[in-house]
Amino acid sequence: MSTFDDPFDADRRLSRSGCVCGQHGSAAEHDAALTPRCEPAPTEEQRYEGVVASAVMRAMFPKDAARRAFLKSVGASTALAAISQFFPLQAATEVFAQAGTPEKKDLKVGFIPITCATPIIMAAPLGFYSKYGLNVEVVKTAGWAVIRDKTINKEYDAAHMLAPMPIAISLGLGANAIPFTVPAIENINGQGITLAMKHKDKRNPKDWKGMKFAIPFDYSMHNYLLRYYLAEHGLDPDTDVQLRSVPPPEMVANLRADNIDGFLAPDNICQRAIYDGVGFLHILSKEIWDGHPCCTFAASREFITQSPNSFAALTRAIVDATAYASKAENRKQIAEAIAPANYINAPVTVLEQVLTGTYADGLGGIKTDPRRVDFDPFPWQSFAVWMLTQMKRWGQIKGDVDYKSVAEQVFLATDTAKVMKEMGLTPPASSYKSFSVMGKAFDAAKPDDYLASFKIRKSS
């Protein structure tokens, strides 16, 4: 069942079936969702009422068939009225809204200007932070090392970080170890490999030997996915190509200047290269691993300890914004909200192509994939275990790794599940799930076996 399905919708199946993207009850509903529409935003009181009523409805009717039959027989309005007779919805709404006053309301959250940060950015102009009693300044930042340093130095209360960064910071990779956490994933999918136009005849990665590629940061999914992709095609990423860390906003200029041959980067960077006519999209990252995490909302353990209510309010705001971003009908509005110079500073057309999934590929084609980028906040701990295997595979971690312990200390699945339940959402029953990367199954319970199965890896 989708985290963000509406239990009061009698036509909504709460299981992940019915259409190609798994988010709709039928193919017709899926197609309709691709046509964006604007609706008045609910008031803060209506949002809280909806959260509480949704939680009660899910608890009363955990089985899809019973819930749908009930709603079809009496209607949503009558159902809500009936529930109100037996459960004090108004009182519960007031308690929910007033619980946990933030210790610190004025907060700074750093971000890199890429679509991966969509929930963090849009939560400011669209009012999600203020809804939870916070005055948040989202601060545009030049690069990932700056994000890391400013968050460690407490200039930022929390930050947009690449998913592996809080793991690396917690393990002391490249700096002193400081406990950091991931309460929410910012986006899934949403990246791509873009090549310079001069390489449009080099679609086979085996022909890429000697080429120069940019990645945003060493501790990034971009680095691990590109290395994985190259290695699966027989290239050693440490000897057969050159990998350079380049801040995402500088990648297109470097491609235009012929400093690099391509990059694995966030989709708005890929799409900007296409928009400017200097590159084409070779492959979407979801074609390597569909549903992979990319960026996160991250905070230090110290911030959580000192300001637990502020942290909880921030997490609620991010989860709420993520729920809004997950719906196709909201994507055009979001593109307009995050396009200005103080946010992503990109043409709305570029951001719409990324967020709606209808885009030019740079080779004269128009493609449609509504899950080119998607948004699901749950911090699966199996994601963290996979990242740790790749850190060890490429020599970033030496010696033994307690995969499970690190994953569960950094990725706060239990805490996030609690917050989601309080918001009337349904988190997954487990914090681990299986998945495949380029057809190779990953079992988080056997990380060493997975690591040992790779022929191309850095020598220990």
Side-chain angles (χ1 to χ4, degrees):
M1 165 170 106
S2 170
T3 299
F4 303 125
D5 282 341
D6 179 6
F8 279 92
D9 183 352
D11 294 321
R12 175 77 69 177
R13 288 189 182 93
L14 298 187
S15 60
R16 281 275 188 182
S17 62
C19 78
V20 292
C21 76
Q23 296 184 16
H24 308 100
S26 66
E29 184 182 345
H30 170 90
D31 292 339
L34 297 183
T35 303
R37 58 184 184 273
C38 295
E39 298 176 354
T43 64
E44 183 171 334
E45 182 178 358
Q46 288 172 332
R47 284 179 181 272
Y48 282 127
E49 288 175 353
V51 166
V52 174
S54 177
V56 175
M57 190 66 175
R58 289 174 187 267
M60 291 180 63
F61 295 98
K63 297 296 184 181
D64 201 32
R67 178 191 61 83
R68 296 179 71 198
F70 175 65
L71 287 171
K72 284 184 178 294
S73 65
V74 302
S77 298
T78 303
L80 183 59
I83 292 172
S84 299
Q85 293 181 19
F86 302 100
F87 187 87
L89 288 177
Q90 189 59 43
T93 298
E94 292 174 359
V95 170
F96 175 78
Q98 296 171 4
T101 302
E103 301 85 357
K104 183 179 180 182
K105 294 186 177 182
D106 296 328
L107 302 171
K108 285 188 177 182
V109 176
F111 74 93
I112 299 293
I114 52 178
T115 42
C116 307
T118 291
I120 284 175
I121 299 171
M122 60 171 271
L126 297 184
F128 288 93
Y129 293 127
S130 59
K131 169 186 166 182
Y132 292 95
L134 300 173
N135 177 32
V136 174
E137 178 186 357
V138 289
V139 186
K140 188 174 179 177
T141 310
W144 293 111
V146 180
I147 282 274
R148 177 197 60 202
D149 295 345
K150 284 183 176 289
T151 311
I152 289 174
N153 295 335
K154 304 177 187 177
E155 293 179 56
Y156 296 159
D157 298 284
H160 163 214
M161 285 190 179
L162 296 158
M165 283 178 63
I167 297 174
I169 295 170
S170 297
L171 293 176
L173 303 181
N176 293 329
I178 300 172
F180 259 70
T181 66
V182 173
I185 298 294
E186 280 294 286
N187 69 302
I188 56 176
N189 299 334
Q191 321 299 310
I193 296 178
T194 297
L195 299 178
M197 292 303 298
K198 67 178 182 179
H199 296 307
K200 62 183 180 180
D201 295 327
K202 290 186 177 179
R203 302 305 302 275
N204 187 340
K206 294 182 185 297
D207 297 329
W208 295 357
K209 197 167 185 177
M211 289 171 60
K212 301 181 291 291
F213 290 91
I215 53 172
F217 199 62
D218 286 343
Y219 302 107
S220 68
M221 287 297 297
H222 311 77
N223 183 23
Y224 305 141
L225 289 175
L226 181 57
R227 284 173 172 272
Y228 198 109
Y229 184 74
L230 292 169
E232 288 298 298
H233 285 90
L235 296 182
D236 187 326
D238 287 316
T239 59
D240 291 332
V241 300
Q242 295 180 46
L243 299 183
R244 302 177 178 179
S245 290
V246 177
E250 299 175 15
M251 287 184 175
V252 175
N254 275 273
L255 193 67
R256 181 185 291 109
D258 205 26
N259 295 328
I260 55 175
D261 296 289
F263 51 71
L264 198 158
D267 274 344
N268 66 297
I269 306 300
C270 299
Q271 208 61 48
R272 186 58 190 261
I274 293 168
Y275 182 84
D276 289 354
V278 298
F280 68 92
L281 189 63
H282 170 70
I283 191 174
L284 294 174
S285 60
K286 74 184 289 286
E287 298 175 72
I288 300 173
W289 171 5
D290 192 6
H292 73 81
C294 179
C295 289
T296 65
F297 163 61
S300 68
R301 280 279 179 188
E302 183 179 355
F303 174 69
I304 297 174
T305 302
Q306 294 182 350
S307 303
N309 293 338
S310 296
F311 170 74
L314 260 179
T315 302
R316 288 190 181 94
I318 295 298
V319 171
D320 202 355
T322 305
Y324 193 80
S326 74
K327 300 186 183 305
E329 61 265 29
N330 298 328
R331 299 284 179 90
K332 285 197 172 184
Q333 179 199 18
I334 293 169
E336 292 181 0
I338 66 178
N342 57 323
Y343 298 133
I344 293 186
N345 190 27
V348 173
T349 299
V350 169
L351 301 184
E352 283 187 357
Q353 289 187 65
V354 172
L355 294 174
T356 65
T358 298
Y359 61 94
D361 64 5
L363 295 172
I366 300 295
K367 296 186 176 180
T368 299
D369 188 337
R371 293 194 71 245
R372 175 184 182 173
V373 63
D374 211 348
F375 303 94
D376 191 334
F378 192 73
W380 294 94
Q381 289 164 344
S382 45
F383 287 169
V385 174
W386 186 88
M387 293 174 212
L388 286 164
T389 66
Q390 300 309 295
M391 289 178 172
K392 188 167 175 61
R393 177 184 184 182
W394 302 114
Q396 292 179 331
I397 296 176
K398 306 293 185 183
D400 295 334
V401 179
D402 190 338
Y403 297 95
K404 189 171 186 292
S405 176
V406 173
E408 293 178 3
Q409 287 175 33
V410 179
F411 276 46
L412 303 183
T414 300
D415 302 67
T416 305
K418 181 176 180 293
V419 168
M420 292 171 71
K421 287 178 181 177
E422 291 171 352
M423 296 178 68
L425 302 172
T426 304
S430 170
S431 58
Y432 289 85
K433 69 173 179 178
S434 59
F435 49 81
S436 295
V437 184
M438 293 187 71
K440 188 182 185 72
F442 175 70
D443 183 351
K446 299 177 180 178
D448 286 322
D449 291 347
Y450 182 75
L451 183 58
S453 70
F454 295 111
K455 292 182 179 179
I456 299 179
R457 53 184 293 183
K458 198 150 190 170
S459 301
S460 301

